[in-house]
Amino acid sequence: MEELSFSIRVADNSHKAYANEIAAEMENSAKARGTGIAKRSPSYLEAKMEEGKAVIALTNEGKWAGFCYIEAWGHGKFVANSGLIVAPEYRQYGLARKIKQEVFKLSQTKFPESNIFGLTTGAAVMKINSELGYIPVSYSELTDDEEFWKGCQSCINYEILMSKNRQNCLCTAMLYDPKSKK
């Protein structure tokens, strides 16, 4: 495999041109894997970029290669790292790990006292999260913010989540508690 280098940075207004392509890949990837991922509109991703709450990876040629964003919930008590996506042609380069590391740092910078969490069905993401200090938890340890859970409505597994009274689903809940590291 050839060696590629990527520029990974906090996304800003200059990256909004990539929002349509990123949103489409998020949707296509979820369908291809048959797994849940909350569907996000290009305008939602643009807002994350404007707010400085997203990380983008670009190739040296300026093509988007990966993306992830953060969202605060429960009055800032919780921060979700969400929407991790790597363009298919750049998978297998360790890019997801690098993006997750950067979005984790961004979360800690913007919300230093907040619990950081994610929901995932992917073994690779679980491994990366574990390396960052996340631990698997029950859903009851996550935010109770109704707006967060509304985001699951576009997931293929939403009916499972609701049939279990939002106590579990096919995703694994993982949480990083900054107080446990001090």
Side-chain angles (χ1 to χ4, degrees):
M1 188 171 353
E2 74 177 272
E3 184 65 30
L4 292 179
S5 65
F6 301 94
S7 171
I8 302 169
R9 64 183 76 146
V10 175
D12 59 32
N13 285 333
S14 70
H15 300 109
K16 289 167 66 172
Y18 300 105
N20 286 331
E21 193 175 354
I22 293 167
E25 184 52 44
M26 286 177 163
E27 185 174 1
N28 292 339
S29 181
K31 285 179 185 173
R33 292 181 308 196
T35 60
I37 186 169
K39 186 176 178 180
R40 297 293 181 234
S41 68
S43 61
Y44 182 88
L45 301 179
E46 288 174 359
K48 294 292 129 205
M49 294 173 191
E50 288 174 8
E51 297 166 0
K53 293 181 179 176
V55 169
I56 193 164
L58 303 172
T59 66
N60 289 336
E61 295 79 34
K63 186 173 179 190
W64 88 272
F67 184 81
C68 192
Y69 65 88
I70 64 174
E71 183 73 68
W73 303 102
H75 305 290
K77 293 178 188 170
F78 293 89
V79 175
N81 290 177
S82 299
L84 176 65
I85 190 75
V86 174
E89 61 268 34
Y90 302 113
R91 293 177 185 162
Q92 306 302 319
Y93 288 94
L95 193 51
R97 176 175 273 104
K98 293 173 185 168
I99 293 168
K100 282 289 289 185
Q101 289 167 343
E102 288 302 312
V103 84
F104 184 73
K105 285 192 267 186
L106 179 63
S107 299
Q108 290 179 308
T109 300
K110 286 197 170 278
F111 303 96
E113 301 299 317
S114 298
N115 290 319
I116 304 170
F117 74 98
L119 294 172
T120 185
T121 56
V125 173
M126 286 182 230
K127 183 177 182 202
I128 295 166
N129 285 350
S130 293
E131 291 168 0
L132 292 170
Y134 290 68
I135 58 168
V137 295
S138 67
Y139 280 34
S140 64
E141 294 182 57
L142 304 180
T143 183
D144 60 1
D145 191 316
E146 292 299 324
E147 288 302 308
F148 170 78
W149 295 103
K150 283 181 185 177
C152 293
Q153 289 177 343
S154 61
C155 175
I156 191 172
N157 300 317
Y158 184 69
E159 287 185 27
I160 296 169
L161 175 69
M162 296 313 290
S163 73
K164 306 271 188 178
N165 295 320
R166 264 187 1 210
Q167 293 303 304
N168 61 12
C169 195
L170 299 182
C171 285
T172 297
M174 299 190 78
L175 182 74
Y176 172 85
D177 180 352
K179 293 179 275 316
S180 70
K181 303 301 173 193
K182 290 183 179 174

